[in-house]
Structure formats: structure tokens, C-alpha cells
Amino acid sequence: RDIVWRADRKGNPRAVSLGTAPYRDPMGNHVFVIDMFGEDLSAVKSVFLSQLQSLPPSHDNVICLLVVNRSLSPQILEFCINEMRLEKGKQYWTDEIIVEDDILKMLWGDGRGKK
């Protein structure tokens, strides 16, 4: 899949994002994933909006899987619901951690390079 990245500025960015191009899931939804990096709330909001604006227009249901710094999760969730009028879906944070942890153990054993 194509990767779309954004930053809030060229030199010394405060927030950077990597996002997938939208793809269709088995239910026909357009799905995309955005990983946000940064701790400055205003910069993260700005980059998130830039990612959304880069998407092609769609009249179908769109699902965004958004990953942000844990310290910003409550503020970003409030921003998405109250200011952008988006609906909150299921949070998969625990599942993502488990999957990531399992993959790391599979690749690197106990985490110290020993399988």
C-alpha cells in the first residue's frame, strides 16, 4: 500500500504522521491507518487534519485507525468527537500491544536477541 506522510513543518518538526492510502475492508468500508508521532497537541491536530485532507472524497463509510502518543489520547479523542463530529469506534490498543509483543518475541526471542 502507498504510505502518505505529513509533518507540521520542514525543519525540526513537532509532529509527524505516517498513513496508509485508503483500502477496502471485506465489509466495503474505506479503511486507513494513521500513526502519529509527537507530543505537541496543536501540531498533532494540524498534521492529523492534513492527513484527512489528503484523502480522496468518499461517500462510503470511512474508518480511521489512529495511533497517537498515550499522553495525547484523551485530548485527541475529545477533538475528534467534539470538534470534528466523528464517532468513536472500538479501541484496539490492548490488542495492538499484544500483537506487537508477540511479533517481537517471534522475531527476536526474549527481546535480547535470543530466540
Side-chain angles (χ1 to χ4, degrees), residues 31-78:
V31 179
F32 62 101
V33 180
I34 299 176
D35 287 311
M36 299 293 307
F37 303 93
E39 296 182 2
D40 182 291
L41 181 60
S42 64
V44 168
K45 284 180 183 179
S46 173
V47 173
F48 176 56
L49 289 173
S50 177
Q51 277 281 10
L52 294 178
Q53 291 168 346
S54 74
L55 295 171
S58 174
H59 296 289
D60 296 326
N61 193 32
V62 176
I63 297 173
C64 174
L65 303 174
L66 178 63
V67 180
V68 298
N69 184 302
R70 284 187 186 189
S71 66
L72 297 180
S73 279
Q75 296 99 320
I76 292 296
L77 180 60
E78 181 180 327

Side-chain angles (χ1 to χ4, degrees), residues 79-109:
F79 171 71
C80 289
I81 292 171
N82 295 335
E83 294 181 41
M84 297 185 65
R85 304 288 186 230
L86 300 174
E87 294 180 19
K88 177 183 179 277
K90 182 177 180 183
Q91 283 186 284
Y92 293 100
W93 181 254
T94 303
D95 296 336
E96 288 174 8
I97 292 294
I98 291 169
V99 169
E100 182 179 40
D101 185 48
D102 289 346
I103 291 171
L104 291 175
K105 285 179 184 173
M106 181 180 70
L107 294 175
W108 293 290

